[in-house]
């Protein structure tokens, strides 16, 4: 008779009564790393030929599995939103599920390593602490434009900037545009397309690659086309290099309030709405 033993790298078929099957059955383990699986098999062979007593075997197995076990990677990516991240964490078999609703303040995009049985809450706290620990390193030296914003607001704006562009050289320029939009000229409206995508996903509304005008009216407090100010939470996990790139802005520079993104090119910035529309009409197949 054969049974399937699940590992974090795939599946191994083991015969009933062999080393892997017996070890997994004895310890009540459903998932283990392939590395630990192989070590247990070798250990079982040594025991089988009398190298260890049966009691010694139990101690060694516990030591390998519970104290020296390979750490499991958890990938928190910048393209994921809060509910995408939490849903992803619930798919990992080595994590205990989240028991209550998490108040989302932002997570640092990174790969975290945890042991078997770590709770989802612990991973979220780890990623949140990493984010704010990094901000704490430069917060007292931040640029003048951030003096009126809290750390939480800084993280929210950084998450929008990161969703808006993948080009490192554009982070600061787009951050300046959004900071200008928070002023009186546009009545505090950000008009940020990434927030539309965020609320659409929250309401299970499927959007295409392009956002059309009909998508801008989704009723949600975090839709910056309908409501003034920043969203209530970050719309995605934030990379540390984005935080550092935009943290030291001391002035808003040119009076640019509008931009759009032609396919496969850098963003085009404009000072007035009429100029913005005129530039977009040259390539009407792109943009909103």
């Amino acid at each position: 008779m054969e049974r399937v033993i699940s590992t974090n790298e795939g599946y191994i078929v083991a015969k009933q009564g062999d080393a892997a099957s017996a070890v997994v059955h004895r310890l009540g383990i459903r998932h283990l790393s392939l590395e630990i699986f192989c070590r247990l098999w070798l250990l079982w062979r040594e025991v089988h030929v009398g190298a260890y007593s049966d009691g010694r075997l139990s101690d060694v197995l516990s030591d390998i599995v519970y104290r020296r076990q390979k750490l499991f990677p958890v990938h928190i990516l910048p393209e994921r939103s809060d509910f995408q991240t939490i849903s992803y964490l619930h798919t990992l078999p080595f994590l205990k599920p989240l028991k209550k609703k998490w108040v989302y303040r932002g997570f640092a995009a990174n790969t975290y390593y945890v042991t078997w049985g770590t709770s989802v809450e612990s991973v979220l706290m780890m990623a949140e602490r990493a984010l704010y620990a990094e901000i704490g390193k430069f917060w007292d030296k931040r640029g003048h434009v951030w003096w009126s914003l809290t750390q939480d607001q800084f993280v929210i704006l950084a998450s929008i900037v990161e969703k808006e562009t993948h080009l490192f050289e554009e982070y600061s320029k787009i951050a300046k545009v959004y900071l200008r939009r928070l002023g009186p000229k546009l009545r505090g409206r950000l008009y940020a397309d990434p927030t539309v995508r965020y609320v659409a996903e929250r309401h299970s509304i499927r959007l295409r690659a392009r956002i059309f005008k009909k998508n801008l009216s989704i009723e949600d407090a975090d839709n910056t086309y309908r409501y003034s100010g920043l969203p209530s939470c970050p719309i995605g996990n934030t990379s540390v290099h984005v935080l550092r790139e935009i943290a030291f802005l001391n002035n808003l520079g040119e009076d640019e309030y509008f931009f759009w993104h032609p396919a496969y090119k850098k963003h085009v910035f404009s000072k007035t709405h009429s100029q913005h529309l005129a530039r977009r009409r040259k390539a009407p197949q792109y943009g909103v």
Side-chain angles (χ1 to χ4, degrees), residues 15-282:
K15 291 183 179 180
Q16 185 81 22
D18 73 358
S21 178
V23 168
V24 171
H25 178 73
R26 174 177 294 192
L27 296 179
I29 302 172
R30 292 186 178 181
H31 299 81
L32 70 163
S33 72
L34 188 58
E35 175 187 334
I36 298 302
F37 176 90
C38 294
R39 290 174 63 187
L40 289 176
W41 185 81
L42 293 173
L43 176 62
W44 185 270
R45 286 189 59 188
E46 293 178 356
V47 171
H48 186 68
V49 298
Y52 294 103
S53 66
D54 215 19
R56 175 63 179 156
L57 169 64
S58 177
D59 293 339
V60 174
L61 291 181
S62 298
D63 184 60
I64 290 177
V65 175
Y66 296 113
R67 289 197 289 274
R68 296 181 182 175
Q69 186 179 19
K70 177 182 176 182
L71 296 176
F72 296 92
V74 176
H75 309 293
I76 294 184
L77 305 176
E79 56 264 26
R80 289 197 181 113
S81 61
D82 52 347
F83 40 89
Q84 287 175 323
T85 296
I86 294 174
S87 297
Y88 155 72
L89 294 179
H90 278 273
T91 67
L92 302 179
F94 50 85
L95 293 181
K96 294 180 180 178
L98 183 68
K99 294 182 179 180
K100 61 181 182 179
K101 184 177 175 63
W102 185 266
V103 180
Y104 182 53
R105 294 181 64 211
F107 308 131
N110 207 339
T111 298
Y112 300 89
Y113 291 90
V114 300
T115 55
W116 184 280
T118 302
S119 66
V120 170
E121 286 96 336
S122 297
V123 176
L124 298 179
M125 289 176 63
M126 188 187 309
E128 186 179 280
R129 284 198 302 266
L131 178 66
Y132 282 87
E134 186 63 34
I135 294 174
K137 295 178 182 178
F138 57 74
W139 190 246
D140 291 339
K141 302 176 183 178
R142 67 189 185 279
H144 299 162
V145 299
W146 302 108
W147 284 4
S148 61
L149 273 65
T150 65
Q151 288 189 12
D152 287 349
Q153 291 171 328
F154 172 66
V155 172
I156 292 171
L157 191 58
S159 71
I160 298 174
V161 171
E162 186 159 18
K163 286 282 191 177
E164 190 69 68
T165 181
H166 64 280
L167 298 176
F168 187 82
E169 62 269 23
E170 288 189 340
Y171 289 144
S172 293
K173 198 164 186 178
I174 290 178
K176 289 179 181 180
V177 171
Y178 282 135
L179 286 168
R180 293 188 198 103
R181 290 182 181 179
L182 286 174
K185 185 171 181 177
L186 296 183
R187 304 186 303 280
R189 293 278 182 94
L190 286 183
Y191 297 106
D193 289 354
T195 65
V196 177
R197 293 192 179 279
Y198 176 75
V199 299
E201 188 175 357
R202 176 189 285 172
H203 292 275
S204 301
I205 300 173
R206 188 173 180 178
L207 299 182
R208 299 183 180 181
R210 292 168 56 190
I211 296 177
F212 295 91
K213 288 184 178 180
K214 64 180 181 180
N215 305 132
L216 305 181
S217 58
I218 299 174
E219 180 55 45
D220 192 290
D222 291 337
N223 183 355
T224 56
Y225 272 86
R226 290 184 63 90
Y227 295 95
S228 301
L230 293 166
S232 60
C233 65
I235 64 170
N237 304 320
T238 312
S239 302
V240 170
H241 65 275
V242 177
L243 298 173
R244 286 193 165 275
E245 177 65 16
I246 68 175
F248 303 104
L249 302 176
N250 283 310
N251 61 76
L252 298 181
E254 297 181 15
D255 197 25
E256 294 173 329
Y257 283 84
F258 306 94
F259 60 81
W260 71 287
H261 185 246
Y264 310 111
K265 296 181 181 180
K266 294 183 179 180
H267 283 82
V268 178
F269 295 84
S270 304
K271 293 184 178 181
T272 65
H273 191 247
S274 57
Q275 185 184 53
H276 168 68
L277 294 178
R279 289 177 174 177
R280 289 211 16 229
R281 289 192 194 101
K282 295 179 181 179

